[in-house]
Amino acid sequence: MHDDDDLDHAHVLDLLNDEEAEDIEGIEKFTLYSVGIDIGSSTTHTIFSRLILRREGAGLSAKFVVTNRDVLYRSPIMLTPYSSGTAIDTDSVQQFIERSYSEAGFTPDDVDTGAVVITGEALKKENAQPILEYFSEESGRFICASAGPMHEALLAAFGSGAVAISKSNANTVLDVDMGGGTTKISLIRNGEIAQMVAIEVGARLIAYDDDMTISRVEQPARTILGSLGQTVEVGEKLTDEKRELFAAKMTDILFDAISGGKVDPLTESLLLTDSLDTASLEDVDHVVFSGGVSEYVYDRTNESYGDIGPWFGKMVRERCQQTLRPGMLVMPAEGIRATVIGAGEYTLQASGSTSYISTHDVLPVRGIQVARAFINKEQTAEEMEAALSAGVGKYDLAKLPSTMALAMSIAGQPDYWYIRRLAESIIKTVDDEPPEAPVFVVVDVDVAKSLGGIIREELHLDRAVIAIDGIEVGDLDYVDVGKPMGASEVIPVTVKSLVFSIRSQSG
């Protein structure tokens, strides 16, 4: 005889041994709901998704990864509201987001994770940071990011599907993300971003009212029109001729920038970065356009938001037809929503047994952004420092802040002098912050204890040091780090990243 508890226990064991065990919610599968919010210089929009996580590999210690993302709701595209020339209308943005929740059939309590990103000219406005802080305070579940040009380029390259195209075809892809204030260009080789470029051409450098009265002019617009012997001022009417001239000149500048090689002086004056490191478009296999203007490039909309977007996109489309080889232009997986199409991809991992923790006081932490770098044994100290700086530079930063983790893929057999050289380079990369501000380091091999010990005890960095090994992270990832568990002090780490589609089509 068995009592009811025994029968229930046996039934659960039968289920766990069944081939359908992977579908048991909470044991081999988790369902999460996410929201992505993008506040750009031209437009604001939201997207709600359902994420399915399943255990990857055998055994209860295997990590969970996202296996499915279903889009449940895409909001209408709203023109980003401004209360003045220097401030975003936060009340209108909040009302729009609350309305999006209602129309999607969600409340904030229903959402497990999310991301809010402010990009482009909107990022420069005086209250951009308080908006991010509002979402952060509302829910610690949110990933909050202010995306400067390089960070925005990184988001767009993944979100558009360009990285996935390059990786699956082992070739070279150019992602051109056309926004309101800037255009970001990512050169991707074999699935890795080799270079990111930003240039001040975009749809909203000139904005106008319904009667074509100019309401906003950014300095790059004055520079571009000035090269044509034209002027532009707020309050005057934007003529068809001036609009066409401006869009055509921006198209010339953009194609000068994406073609590689030496650019003309006007293009150079508008570059926010070095020029593209490729000889010509002949070196590129595919070109993908993303961002708001891409909707016009691919002729997917004719709706106007009171800016130059429709004309700029149309002229870029025509130039592509004249310039690019057949099959070279590829449709993005996401266009206007490429920068943030989902959030909170989770992988649940535990660190190796050789992590280094100088103090437990700073743990647990949530939402630490990852800056990834590739290190190999043949690099000099200067080359290592340059690699680490490049990883941090993807997020428009010169030094590593305490709110970011330096994640490194380390190639080559580690020995003392190799790790010492890396430790010295890390110290030169971190911000000069007070002792209570921690330094987070994540490595993919079992050297964290040695690396953290050298940083703290031999090189005497007067900061808390948390060095974790055995964790897999990538660009655009965030990590939650828990307190050590058990006698071996294994550290539970949750890796979160934006969730990107991999669909693409030839265009």
Side-chain angles (χ1 to χ4, degrees):
M1 296 288 290
H2 300 278
D3 60 26
D4 289 343
D5 287 342
D6 288 338
L7 287 171
D8 288 342
H9 181 64
H11 180 60
V12 171
L13 287 176
D14 287 341
L15 285 173
L16 287 173
N17 291 325
D18 191 272
E19 289 181 358
E20 299 299 319
E22 66 177 34
D23 291 325
I24 300 176
E25 185 72 25
I27 297 176
E28 293 293 327
K29 183 185 79 170
F30 288 95
T31 302
L32 300 176
Y33 294 91
S34 76
V35 59
I37 301 168
D38 186 354
I39 304 171
S41 52
S42 295
T43 58
T44 294
H45 49 90
T46 66
I47 187 167
F48 289 76
S49 303
R50 178 174 54 234
L51 309 174
I52 305 296
L53 291 80
R54 283 192 170 86
R55 200 183 293 277
E56 184 181 69
L60 295 178
S61 62
K63 65 184 180 182
F64 288 86
V65 297
V66 172
T67 56
N68 296 91
R69 179 180 68 86
D70 300 314
V71 175
L72 303 178
Y73 173 80
R74 296 171 185 260
S75 75
I77 306 295
M78 179 183 75
L79 191 65
T80 299
Y82 293 90
S83 56
S84 71
T86 60
I88 297 169
D89 185 344
T90 54
D91 289 340
S92 294
V93 169
Q94 186 175 339
Q95 290 168 13
F96 173 77
I97 292 169
E98 289 172 353
R99 189 163 60 250
S100 294
Y101 270 88
S102 176
E103 292 173 358
F106 283 89
T107 68
D109 289 339
D110 297 325
V111 173
D112 299 291
T113 186
V116 55
V117 179
I118 298 184
T119 61
E121 292 296 318
L123 179 60
K124 301 177 184 177
K125 303 309 174 185
E126 62 190 27
N127 59 345
Q129 192 59 37
I131 290 174
L132 287 173
E133 290 170 358
Y134 163 78
F135 285 103
S136 182
E137 290 168 4
E138 281 293 296
S139 174
R141 296 170 298 204
F142 268 82
I143 296 169
C144 297
S146 54
M150 294 301 94
H151 190 181
E152 194 175 355
L154 193 66
L155 288 167
F158 280 91
S160 67
V163 170
I165 294 167
S166 174
K167 186 174 183 178
S168 63
N169 294 300
N171 64 6
T172 300
V173 175
L174 209 60
D175 181 71
V176 184
D177 188 68
M178 302 173 68
T182 57
T183 293
K184 284 69 59 180
I185 305 160
S186 296
L187 180 65
I188 309 154
R189 294 192 175 104
N190 300 319
E192 294 288 345
I193 297 176
Q195 187 186 10
M196 294 180 292
V197 173
I199 187 166
E200 293 182 298
V201 294
R204 212 158 181 79
L205 295 181
I206 298 176
Y208 50 84
D209 299 330
D210 291 341
D211 64 354
M212 300 302 293
T213 299
I214 296 173
S215 58
R216 176 173 157 188
V217 179
E218 304 294 346
Q219 183 55 46
R222 301 182 192 277
T223 300
I224 293 167
L225 282 170
S227 72
L228 300 171
Q230 301 279 332
T231 60
V232 61
E233 297 297 337
V234 172
E236 71 178 37
K237 297 284 187 180
L238 181 63
T239 64
D240 292 347
E241 178 187 10
K242 189 171 291 188
R243 183 182 60 202
E244 298 279 338
L245 282 170
F246 182 56
K249 191 61 178 178
M250 283 203 297
T251 302
D252 291 340
I253 293 165
L254 177 59
F255 272 81
D256 187 28
I258 70 174
S259 296
K262 185 172 176 59
V263 298
D264 75 31
L266 177 60
T267 302
E268 187 172 15
S269 72
L270 295 167
L271 281 168
L272 299 173
T273 62
D274 292 337
S275 58
L276 195 64
D277 184 21
T278 184
S280 71
L281 282 174
E282 293 298 316
D283 299 332
V284 175
D285 297 290
H286 294 296
V287 177
V288 178
F289 287 90
S290 58
V293 183
S294 74
E295 302 296 307
Y296 305 109
V297 173
Y298 293 103
D299 202 17
R300 299 199 287 203
T301 185
N302 56 11
E303 188 171 358
S304 175
Y305 295 96
D307 56 36
I308 308 297
W311 292 270
F312 190 20
K314 175 177 177 290
M315 290 185 179
V316 168
R317 180 172 71 248
E318 293 171 351
R319 186 68 62 87
C320 286
Q321 293 167 349
Q322 299 164 8
T323 305
L324 302 184
R325 303 184 302 275
M328 192 173 174
L329 181 63
V330 174
M331 190 79 73
E334 296 284 345
I336 192 171
R337 303 178 196 268
T339 51
V340 56
I341 63 170
E345 176 177 348
Y346 282 66
T347 57
L348 310 182
Q349 304 178 44
S351 74
S353 59
T354 60
S355 294
Y356 179 91
I357 311 164
S358 68
T359 176
H360 294 182
D361 294 345
V362 299
L363 300 177
V365 294
R366 300 184 67 175
I368 300 293
Q369 191 171 29
V370 168
R372 188 171 64 147
F374 296 91
I375 303 297
N376 68 70
K377 197 171 186 176
E378 305 306 315
Q379 290 172 328
T380 64
E382 290 77 15
E383 289 169 338
M384 282 186 184
E385 186 180 348
L388 298 178
S389 296
V392 174
K394 291 178 182 179
Y395 300 94
D396 303 281
L397 298 170
K399 294 284 187 178
L400 182 82
S402 59
T403 53
M404 182 173 279
L406 192 59
M408 291 162 288
S409 293
I410 298 177
Q413 184 64 35
D415 57 34
Y416 172 79
W417 291 111
Y418 180 11
I419 302 305
R420 168 88 183 205
R421 196 160 67 248
L422 177 57
E424 291 171 348
S425 300
I426 290 171
I427 287 179
K428 293 179 180 178
T429 305
V430 300
D431 254 347
D432 184 16
E433 297 191 41
E436 61 270 18
V439 175
F440 291 96
V441 176
V442 179
V443 291
D444 59 354
V445 294
D446 292 339
V447 298
K449 187 175 287 290
S450 299
L451 181 60
I454 292 172
I455 291 173
R456 174 79 177 181
E457 297 160 25
E458 294 187 21
L459 300 178
H460 306 294
L461 180 67
D462 189 20
R463 299 269 295 279
V465 175
I466 308 295
I468 303 167
D469 58 25
I471 298 296
E472 300 174 13
V473 293
D475 287 323
L476 300 177
D477 281 353
Y478 293 71
V479 294
D480 295 347
V481 183
K483 283 187 176 293
M485 302 183 303
S488 61
E489 293 201 326
V490 168
I491 302 173
V493 178
T494 301
V495 181
K496 305 174 182 177
S497 67
L498 303 183
V499 179
F500 296 111
S501 171
I502 59 172
R503 300 185 314 275
S504 63
Q505 303 172 14
S506 294

